[in-house]
Amino acid sequence: MTTMRKSSFLLTALTILMSISTAISSHSPLQNFLTCFSHNSHASKVIYTPNNTSFLTILNKKMYNKKFQTPTTPKPLAIIAAKDASHVQATIKCAKSNNIQIRIRSGGHDYEGYSYVSDVSFVIIDMFNINSVDINLQEETAWVDSGATLGAGGHFSGGGYGNMMRKYGLSVDNIIDAIIVDANSNILDRKSMGEDLFWAIRGGGGASFGVILSWKLKLVQVPSQLTVFNVKRSKKVVQLNFIGQFLGTTERLLSLIKESFPELNLKNSDCFSMPWINTTLFWYDKPFGTPLEEVLVEGPPSIYFKSKSDYVKNPIPKVVIESLWKKMIEGETMYMDWNPYGGRMKEILPSQTPFPHRAGNLFKIQYFNRWIDGSPESIGRHVNFSRLIQKFMTPYVSSSPREAFLNYRDADIGANIPSNITKFDIARTYGRSYFKANFERLVSVKTKVDPDDFFRYEQSIPTKTY
Ligand SMILES: Cc1cc2nc3c(=O)[nH]c(=O)nc-3n(C[C@H](O)[C@H](O)[C@H](O)COP(=O)(O)OP(=O)(O)OC[C@H]3O[C@@H](n4cnc5c(N)ncnc54)[C@H](O)[C@@H]3O)c2cc1C
């Protein structure tokens, strides 16, 4: 399977049909990049520069955070909408030789826009055309390309979780192979990349190490019917939703909840049985009866938002929760997700993958602030409010380091550090929050596989040489 996929990535041969606009200066880094690209790749209509009429459409196509959709947000020099591995290889080679940085985008969900915004000169490798999913039922595995609907590139490489996390762990706990293009434009699979790099890309954030084309997943078993519920409880102006999914029957669920969480007072009428595929629509809050084809529709429309995360190790006193509600009401636009850990998550060693938040965590908090008014004043106010709420929670969440979830990227971590601190120290600050003790191993892998730090971005893993 691996060999077949590698050769299919390599074999695509399309005609060169690149129109290079005369508006681009003949010796600019971009012009040199484009010339190099045309010499190194069989490219057909995969490059978009600001001179193309569809440039902005392609740029905004996968941009979940509207904060970065303004006319003044820095734009890439070009977008390479890769159709096969040769386009990725050529981009790496030509960006490197012309001293241009790259940003890699799959689903464009990065909370801080790190896959498509930067203050430096950069080109985007956009993966949305590399999006197939091949399922092998006999083997119970699937190859999923990075650009598949969910935007698997960032989701998996950041340690993505799903609704069966307490039963089966994270996505990265179920990845058994991957295909990556490294800093020398080599195409590698698990065997040829070696176990260190394979470890690093399963939670360490792919963009520090290479461009991941595809992932091989071990599929997990689900019963033919699952049970879900969404119980709403209101407290004055605060609404609490207890949302659950159980891999079993309603009867069994009710007896378990009665035993371990009787306060919820879960009733038969709160519970709904459905096949696993339908639960994906339930989690998206789609009404019952929504056709399954809806799962193929692109994700939710982009919004203005700021998100932060925390890990909770000890129960939060009731009185603090009351104060928290009051504070949230002041901001008007914030909600929180409390995502329970335990189960399979606590059985997996924190060093098994770069994602370190395993045993000892009761739950993860996501503070999610979203709003409609896109004026700078409004953005500033809402971002500040998110910071205030997180500050309020300081005594009740993890510390030294204050842990954070990489997939809920937060540019505040490591920001506002005194100017005499080195780049490496800044990286250590966000690195420890996201990876705890695994940060040092990530730095070692990075130094080995990308010593020139070609794959860098605003919160990447540094090499040891800073
Ligand atoms: C509506 C919504 C729901 C979400 N729900 C969940 C959830 O249930 N569980 C969860 O874990 N997370 C969730 N997230 C967070 C999400 O997993 C992260 O934002 C993740 O990084 C998104 O990956 P992406 O490919 O869509 O993003 P992108 O913005 O494309 O990429 C994110 C990061 O990964 C890098 N990257 C992307 N593709 C590649 C590649 N092919 N090779 C190397 N590096 C790459 C980018 O450069 C960037 O640094 C959600 C986000 C949103 C917006």
Side-chain angles (χ1 to χ4, degrees), residues 64 103-111 114-116 127 146 150-155 157 159-162 205-207 210-213 284 300 305 405 407-409 457:
Y64 187 68
R103 293 295 178 271
I104 312 160
R105 180 164 74 172
S106 289
H109 289 117
D110 194 287
Y111 285 7
Y114 287 169
S115 54
Y116 54 86
M127 302 296 286
S146 281
L150 181 65
H155 180 77
S157 68
Y161 74 94
V211 180
I212 295 129
L213 301 174
Y284 257 95
F305 74 96
F405 179 32
N407 265 353
Y408 297 162
R409 175 101 57 198
Y457 63 96

Side-chain angles (χ1 to χ4, degrees), residues 62-65 102-116 125-127 145-163 165 170-171 179-181 201 205-215 284 299-301 303 305 335 337 339 355 364 366 368 405-409 455 457-459:
K62 302 263 178 176
M63 193 183 272
Y64 187 68
N65 199 334
I102 63 163
R103 293 295 178 271
I104 312 160
R105 180 164 74 172
S106 289
H109 289 117
D110 194 287
Y111 285 7
E112 300 288 359
Y114 287 169
S115 54
Y116 54 86
I125 298 184
D126 216 322
M127 302 296 286
D145 287 346
S146 281
T149 319
L150 181 65
H155 180 77
F156 289 170
S157 68
Y161 74 94
N163 301 318
M165 178 180 78
L170 303 169
S171 58
I179 296 177
I180 186 171
V181 186
I201 59 172
S208 296
F209 302 96
V211 180
I212 295 129
L213 301 174
S214 200
W215 305 87
Y284 257 95
I303 52 168
F305 74 96
Y335 75 82
D337 281 326
N339 185 209
F355 177 101
K364 167 170 62 57
Q366 172 168 218
F368 200 91
F405 179 32
L406 179 65
N407 265 353
Y408 297 162
R409 175 101 57 198
F455 287 109
Y457 63 96
E458 286 65 16
Q459 278 193 345

Side-chain angles (χ1 to χ4, degrees), residues 130-170:
I130 300 182
N131 58 15
S132 69
V133 176
D134 293 336
I135 297 172
N136 184 333
L137 277 181
Q138 235 172 0
E139 208 184 70
E140 298 192 356
T141 61
W143 274 101
V144 178
D145 287 346
S146 281
T149 319
L150 181 65
H155 180 77
F156 289 170
S157 68
Y161 74 94
N163 301 318
M164 294 191 287
M165 178 180 78
R166 295 185 76 258
K167 175 78 177 171
Y168 291 117
L170 303 169

